Amino acid sequence: MNHIDLNGRHAVITGGAQGLGFAIAERLLASGASVSLWDRDTAELQHASKNLEQVGTVTTRVVDVVDAADVEAAVAQTTERHGAIDILVASAGIAGPNFKTWEYPIDAWRHVMEINLTGVFLCCRAVVPGMIERNYGRIVNISSIAGKEGNPTASGYSASKAGVIALTKSLGKETATYNIAVNCITPAAAKTRIFDQLSQEHIDFMLSKIPRGRFLKTEEVSAMVAWLVSEENSFTTGAVFDLSGGRATY
Ligand SMILES: NC(=O)c1ccc[n+]([C@@H]2O[C@H](COP(=O)([O-])OP(=O)(O)OC[C@H]3O[C@@H](n4cnc5c(N)ncnc54)[C@H](O)[C@@H]3O)[C@@H](O)[C@H]2O)c1
């Protein structure tokens, strides 16, 4: 494992109770950061906190990323407790159901957009003013290869993730004159709890599209994120980092 120095930095990870967010938390702690996990799943948060305690300083908070007041209160409390939020990793997200677009339930579409896109917007919106004030910040939003390619039977998910890419580019430009870097990653499928929301047919489709011929490992995600949130990532911003095992062609 390469050593990345995050000593003295405080990181907020949404959706950090499990999956990619949890793996990222583990890696950032191992790199010296202290970490706040924000998630709506209380039981998983407790479980995660217990598992991470030995690695470093972890605090947890039940936060629903679609609730603007909840997110703002979490930012205020975390800033007071830890002095600053230096790093935000926005990983909270859902897959939504698998339907052809013309059969996609309208409520499900709104729900996916609300969590995957508006949730990322609300977290970035609440955290960035403090980063501007301190002239330091590193943000990584978790998009998806689906946001570049548009997966069939996943139009809601794909559109929400394409939105995350555009949001990242806009915010990256708006903050580019500060020492703030805002980037996103576009992972291919990695076996996490999110698979429970998908049909087997869709999982098989996603695997068939990965030239590497295997699923992405969570530690491969956290390795890339660890560098993106480090001080050394001082120039690149508003960019999209591919983790698609060769699928993406741009
Ligand atoms: N695993 C993959 O194959 C894959 C691929 C590409 C992108 N992604 C993206 O990575 C991110 C993490 O996915 P994962 O695989 O770790 O999924 P996961 O289901 O394992 O974890 C997601 C976490 O987000 C939390 N969450 C969901 N809605 C929330 C809300 N409204 N407020 C707060 N927390 C909420 C859940 O409780 C859960 O702990 C998601 O944005 C997902 O779309 C995942």
Side-chain angles (χ1 to χ4, degrees), residues 18-20 39-40 63-65 91 142-143 157 161 187-190 192:
Q18 58 192 319
L20 304 188
D39 204 290
R40 65 178 179 181
V63 178
D64 186 341
V65 295
S91 187
I142 314 295
S143 176
Y157 183 76
K161 293 299 184 180
T192 66

Side-chain angles (χ1 to χ4, degrees), residues 20-94:
L20 304 188
F22 178 85
I24 292 164
E26 212 170 15
R27 179 72 195 248
L28 300 198
L29 285 167
S31 305
S34 56
V35 164
S36 290
L37 305 178
W38 295 356
D39 204 290
R40 65 178 179 181
D41 189 327
T42 312
E44 284 296 333
L45 267 182
Q46 279 169 0
H47 189 61
S49 164
K50 221 175 199 138
N51 284 328
L52 292 173
E53 259 165 26
Q54 304 96 317
V55 196
T57 308
V58 192
T59 49
T60 60
R61 187 180 159 112
V62 179
V63 178
D64 186 341
V65 295
V66 306
D67 182 335
D70 201 9
V71 170
E72 276 164 29
V75 168
Q77 191 211 35
T78 306
T79 306
E80 197 183 317
R81 192 161 171 179
H82 298 281
I85 297 173
D86 304 297
I87 294 165
L88 168 68
V89 179
S91 187
I94 58 166

Side-chain angles (χ1 to χ4, degrees), residues 176-200:
T177 55
Y178 301 95
N179 186 4
I180 295 174
V182 187
N183 293 290
C184 69
I185 59 169
T186 53
K191 271 192 212 160
T192 66
R193 189 74 66 81
I194 211 170
F195 270 38
D196 297 350
Q197 301 167 39
L198 301 168
S199 67
Q200 190 56 47

